[in-house]
Structures are given as C-alpha cells and as structure tokens.
Amino acid sequence: MFKKILNGLIDQPLFTSLFVTDFFILLFHRPPFLFSLVMLGALMAMCMYFGQKLALFKI
C-alpha cells in the first residue's frame, strides 16, 4: 500500500510539490486567516484528488 502511494505521488510531480509546500506552509507558518482558509481548501481538494486517483481500497 505504501509503495502504491509513493508511485502515485511520483506520477504527479506538480500536484505533489504543491501538496507538500501547502501542507508545510500551513503547518509551520501563520498566514493571514483568509489566505489560510483558501490554502486549507486547496489542500483538501488535493487530498480528495489523490484519494480518488490512488483508490487504495478498491472492492
């Protein structure tokens, strides 16, 4: 499962770099409130995209 996640992230380098930078900016830096809401929304959208793209638990 971990290998499938890494392969999915390597296949999408632009989204992966945006996801990682957005996550670490929100984690270690305090942007203004409205900007952080926009960044959090973008982070959730990328999480949903990666979750749909990887589909780890196909039944």
Side-chain angles (χ1 to χ4, degrees), residues 9-19 46 50:
L9 292 176
I10 290 172
D11 288 343
Q12 304 284 333
L14 179 65
F15 285 128
T16 302
S17 63
L18 285 173
F19 178 79
M46 284 186 276
F50 279 129

Side-chain angles (χ1 to χ4, degrees), residues 13-40:
L14 179 65
F15 285 128
T16 302
S17 63
L18 285 173
F19 178 79
V20 169
T21 54
D22 192 9
F23 179 73
F24 282 113
I25 285 173
L26 285 174
L27 189 64
F28 294 118
H29 183 64
R30 282 285 169 193
F33 182 72
L34 290 176
F35 186 64
S36 71
L37 281 178
V38 170
M39 289 179 69
L40 186 64

